[in-house]
Every structure is written in structure tokens, then in C-alpha cells.
Amino acid sequence: MKLGTQNQAFFPENIQEKFAYVKEMGFEGFEIDGKLLVENLEEVKAAIEKTGLPVTTACGGYDGWIGDFIEERRLNGLEEIKAILEALQAVGGQGIVVPAAWGMFTYRLPPMVSPRSQAGDFKAVSESLIYLDKIAGETGTKVYLEPLNRYQDHMINLLSDAQKYIEMNNLENVEIIADFYHMNIEEDSIPEALRTY
């Protein structure tokens, strides 16, 4: 098992110093903000070379969810995720972590009626994943689909929800990432969900 970390607010701002700091803490991989990677690609490459600390994945750094209610924002997000996947390819990263959305809507708070149907949700997320599956194939990367808990997203809460998108859309470069925090809220049995999906 290897341990990695996301970027944190208390990490140094300078990219070389940031990578050295993460390495010094004992981490073996860095999950970088996608925007930071794209906008500072050459600096990131130099930091990887100097410290030997790999960028394993990216998370965040784009301005539209794959299940965004606003179509223009969804499409903009897809183009930004494409650029992140291309940058990950350039640094040897494995892929990007994406939820359907975060904090956009929940059935747990008023108005409790989604502005889009469940069929509409499935269509939007499927179109996004089909597009990103192709980009991931071209870049040799993966899209790691992350189910979130019901209080942060209404579309994909269980590992089985994520598996449904992968199977029904015949996705080859989309895989499930299982987050224990969200699973602790949503899954009846974390071990069983991991074994099954």
C-alpha cells in the first residue's frame, strides 16, 4: 500500500517547496489540483524530477460538474477535465477523480425537488462519461468516478450507482473510486460493497 495526499491550504505555495514538503512528510504520491497542474505544467515536471514524488492523480480544478444542471457549465468542465487528463499524461499521472457533482443539489434540503429528472441526470452524466472515457483512452489515463453521500450529491451515492454508469455505457477507462467517508454514510456494508464493485 502507498499513501498519498491532496494539496492542502497549509502546504507551501511554491511548487518545488510544496513537493519537497509532501515528500518530507513521508507521502509517496500527490493528488494535485487539476488547475494547478495545467497552469504550472513545466514547474510540476521539474518538481517531480527534483523530488522523485509522483503526481498520481488529480482532483478538482475545473469549473463545471459532469452532471451540471447548466449545460454550458457542464461542457466547459469537460474541456477543462480534458486538459487535466492531457497534463496528467505528460507527468505520468494515473487519472482524475470526479463526482457527478458536489453541493449542487440534495434531496435532503429544501426545495427537495430536483430541477432535472432522474432520466435527465443519467443522460447528462452518461454523455460526460462517454466523452471522458474516450479522452482517457487517448491519454492512457483513467477517470475515477467517486460516489458522494446523499447530503453532497443526489446522483451517484453508492458504488452500485457508479457501476451502473460504467456497465450501461460500456466504459473502458472509467473506474470506481471508493471513499470510506461517503461509504460510511451510504453503504449497508463497506466490505461487501468493495468486494462486489
Side-chain angles (χ1 to χ4, degrees), residues 93-172:
Q94 296 171 359
I96 185 168
V97 176
V98 295
W102 182 87
M104 188 174 74
F105 174 78
T106 173
Y107 289 116
R108 303 297 169 177
L109 294 171
M112 298 180 183
V113 177
S114 176
R116 185 173 60 201
S117 69
Q118 290 182 345
D121 288 341
F122 189 83
K123 181 177 183 290
V125 173
S126 291
E127 287 177 2
S128 295
L129 290 173
I130 289 166
Y131 173 77
L132 293 175
D133 186 65
K134 180 177 181 290
I135 302 302
E138 292 169 354
T139 55
T141 58
K142 297 288 183 185
V143 173
Y144 298 114
L145 185 57
E146 181 180 17
L148 302 184
N149 71 76
R150 70 192 79 171
Y151 305 104
Q152 296 177 343
D153 178 43
H154 71 290
M155 289 177 273
I156 302 177
N157 303 130
L158 300 166
L159 300 193
S160 60
D161 296 337
Q163 185 66 27
K164 180 173 74 171
Y165 279 95
I166 293 169
E167 288 180 351
M168 292 184 74
N169 292 300
N170 298 310
L171 304 175
E172 297 180 359

Side-chain angles (χ1 to χ4, degrees), residues 24-114:
E24 187 177 316
M25 284 191 292
F27 289 107
E28 300 160 285
F30 188 34
E31 183 171 86
I32 197 166
D33 175 83
K35 186 173 185 178
L36 179 71
L37 172 62
V38 170
E39 292 182 352
N40 303 278
L41 184 58
E42 294 309 313
E43 283 183 76
V44 170
K45 285 181 181 177
I48 291 169
E49 185 173 339
K50 183 172 183 179
T51 63
L53 179 72
V55 166
T56 50
T57 50
C59 186
Y62 50 91
D63 295 319
W65 303 114
I66 65 170
D68 215 296
F69 290 145
I70 299 171
E71 184 67 1
E72 181 181 357
R73 200 163 55 195
R74 183 182 74 86
L75 295 174
N76 180 64
L78 292 179
E79 289 310 302
E80 291 176 336
I81 294 170
K82 176 185 177 192
I84 295 167
L85 289 172
E86 291 169 346
L88 283 166
Q89 178 188 33
V91 298
Q94 296 171 359
I96 185 168
V97 176
V98 295
W102 182 87
M104 188 174 74
F105 174 78
T106 173
Y107 289 116
R108 303 297 169 177
L109 294 171
M112 298 180 183
V113 177
S114 176

